[in-house]
Amino acid sequence: MIVKELKYPIYIKKLEALLLRLPPTHIKRKEISEEIAKQLAGFKGEQSLDYYLSFLPENHLILHDLRLKFKQHHFQIDTLILTFSFFLILEVKNLSGRLIFDHHNQQLIRKLNDIEEVFPDPLLQAKRQKYQMVEWLRKNKFKNIPFEEVVVITNSSSHIEATPSDLMQTRIIRNTYIIEKVKELQATFKDEELYLKRDLLKLSQALINNHEAKDIDVLQKFNILESELIKGVQCVECNNIPMKHHLGKWNCSNCENISKDAHLKTIKDFQLLSDLPLTNRRLRDMLFLQSKSISKKYLVSLKLHHTGTTRDRVYHFHNNEA
């Protein structure tokens, strides 16, 4: 049973909003496009697991994309499976090409189209997550339990090699083998039911309550100023920017589409890209509006928490509302 679902990452939403708002000739467009492709591949790889995980019994609790604090830092687990007798960490990789797991040198080598890339050893990453997870359980006074970790390859076209070769049979698997792997572990730990159902539910809720989503400032990451972004309302039909405001509606000069609420997408884009609060002046600048009263009407319709007097009122909302 999935108790923490996989959601479309806010980081990808931010990257997509950033790419949309950059001029066509901007020097960072290629870098950002590549980052979106990389992040989407990872997300789709994790997403593909749900089909196979759906065959697990209901008493197996599944948590996706879990990020917890450990000492002064955070650690992230792609997928965690909780059972009565063991816990399983899945480190998910959606990589194509020839994948060489060089455990002796703690690296993963990917060869594709005559290009060789070196990545950190994902099995070592999973082992580190296991250690941190065990310490997190201890610190939060949860019962110790056997922990296992595997690397799951979700790309069906990849060719997998591992050194030593027996490592692949036990710790590196394809997503199609997940159910069999869980059954193997169940057979291994069948006499060690250390958690009751209520214990698992209590732990899963504690994990969800302590999850802290990573919030990346993409403007800062790519060294881009807000002044470099394209402002104006985007047409939802043809993506043209800007739409013009006339008699309470937004009109597209490119495809002649008319919309009453096209401005909402623009507000969401800018709230994803900046944590600055909204003011009447900032909204007018964002939407290319001249009228203070129309801008105020739109601000009020958002029903946001606000501070300050009418003249210098500031409207607040977090990026997870965007």
Side-chain angles (χ1 to χ4, degrees):
M1 178 174 66
I2 296 177
V3 293
K4 184 178 182 301
E5 296 181 350
L6 183 65
K7 295 183 179 180
Y8 197 74
I10 192 170
Y11 179 45
I12 298 180
K13 290 182 181 180
K14 289 185 174 189
L15 291 171
E16 291 171 336
L18 178 57
L19 191 64
L20 171 70
R21 293 287 165 178
L22 283 182
T25 57
H26 199 283
I27 192 172
K28 294 294 179 70
R29 285 190 67 90
K30 183 175 184 295
E31 183 182 354
I32 294 166
S33 295
E34 291 173 350
E35 179 68 5
I36 291 174
K38 173 186 170 184
Q39 294 297 325
L40 278 175
F43 172 70
K44 290 176 180 177
E46 292 179 50
Q47 200 175 36
S48 71
L49 293 182
D50 277 351
Y51 170 74
Y52 302 100
L53 294 175
S54 67
F55 292 100
L56 290 175
E58 281 291 305
N59 57 18
H60 289 52
L61 305 186
I62 301 162
L63 296 95
H64 287 303
D65 191 24
L66 187 64
R67 184 172 180 266
L68 302 169
K69 190 168 186 179
F70 177 69
K71 296 182 178 179
Q72 303 303 314
H73 305 284
H74 290 81
F75 66 98
Q76 189 157 348
I77 295 174
D78 289 339
T79 299
L80 176 65
I81 301 175
L82 308 177
T83 79
F84 299 141
S85 54
F86 68 91
F87 296 164
L88 177 61
I89 289 174
L90 306 181
E91 175 67 16
V92 185
K93 296 296 177 187
N94 184 14
L95 295 171
S96 57
R98 183 183 173 198
L99 307 180
I100 305 169
F101 289 82
D102 181 2
H103 190 60
H104 292 304
N105 296 299
Q106 298 83 50
Q107 62 185 2
L108 165 61
I109 302 169
R110 194 263 287 269
K111 296 183 178 181
L112 179 65
N113 299 328
D114 297 323
I115 298 175
E116 184 172 297
E117 295 178 89
V118 178
F119 301 92
D121 184 351
L123 189 57
L124 198 60
Q125 290 177 318
K127 286 180 179 295
R128 192 180 304 117
Q129 292 162 5
K130 177 173 74 172
Y131 165 73
Q132 292 169 314
M133 192 67 230
V134 168
E135 288 300 304
W136 188 92
L137 289 176
R138 182 187 61 79
K139 179 183 176 183
N140 289 275
K141 302 185 180 349
F142 283 100
K143 194 181 303 182
N144 191 20
I145 191 169
F147 253 101
E148 295 292 319
E149 73 286 338
V150 295
V151 175
V152 183
I153 305 301
T154 61
N155 193 308
S156 60
S157 65
S158 58
H159 174 77
I160 306 173
E161 299 177 21
T163 57
S165 59
D166 60 346
L167 186 70
M168 185 170 68
Q169 299 175 3
T170 58
R171 299 297 181 190
I172 303 170
I173 64 173
R174 295 191 183 274
N175 52 1
T176 53
Y177 193 73
I178 286 177
I179 302 303
E180 284 71 16
K181 185 63 183 178
V182 171
K183 288 180 179 178
E184 288 177 11
L185 294 172
Q186 286 173 331
T188 302
F189 300 110
K190 63 181 179 180
D191 298 324
E192 301 182 42
E193 290 201 358
L194 301 175
Y195 271 69
L196 300 175
K197 182 177 181 179
R198 66 172 181 269
D199 300 325
L200 282 187
L201 292 172
K202 181 180 177 182
L203 172 57
S204 65
Q205 191 58 56
L207 291 169
I208 292 170
N209 291 343
N210 283 272
H211 167 72
E212 297 181 22
K214 190 173 185 179
D215 191 10
I216 298 174
D217 184 333
V218 291
L219 293 182
Q220 184 180 65
K221 178 179 174 66
F222 293 97
N223 196 24
I224 296 172
L225 300 175
E226 188 173 342
S227 59
E228 298 177 66
L229 304 178
I230 298 172
K231 297 176 182 177
V233 174
Q234 180 192 33
C235 177
V236 295
E237 294 294 329
C238 70
N239 296 329
N240 181 57
I241 300 175
M243 297 181 82
K244 294 182 179 179
H245 191 266
H246 181 66
L247 298 177
K249 296 179 182 179
W250 298 96
N251 299 267
C252 178
S253 59
N254 184 58
C255 71
E256 299 184 349
N257 175 50
I258 299 175
S259 171
K260 287 185 177 181
D261 58 5
H263 60 285
L264 295 176
K265 174 66 166 57
T266 298
I267 295 173
K268 288 181 180 180
D269 286 345
F270 279 89
Q271 285 304 125
L272 284 168
L273 298 175
S274 173
D275 60 1
L276 291 175
L278 279 175
T279 62
N280 193 299
R281 179 188 293 275
R282 185 164 184 255
L283 188 65
R284 279 183 281 132
D285 180 59
M286 190 188 299
L287 304 181
F288 290 163
L289 281 173
Q290 299 296 322
S291 170
K292 290 183 181 180
S293 61
I294 293 175
S295 180
K296 181 181 178 181
K297 177 184 174 182
Y298 284 143
L299 283 168
V300 171
S301 70
L302 294 173
K303 298 180 180 179
L304 301 176
H305 170 67
H306 56 78
T307 56
T309 61
T310 302
R311 184 176 179 83
D312 59 356
R313 182 163 290 178
V314 175
Y315 296 80
H316 308 269
F317 66 118
H318 300 292
N319 277 334
N320 59 6
E321 295 179 36

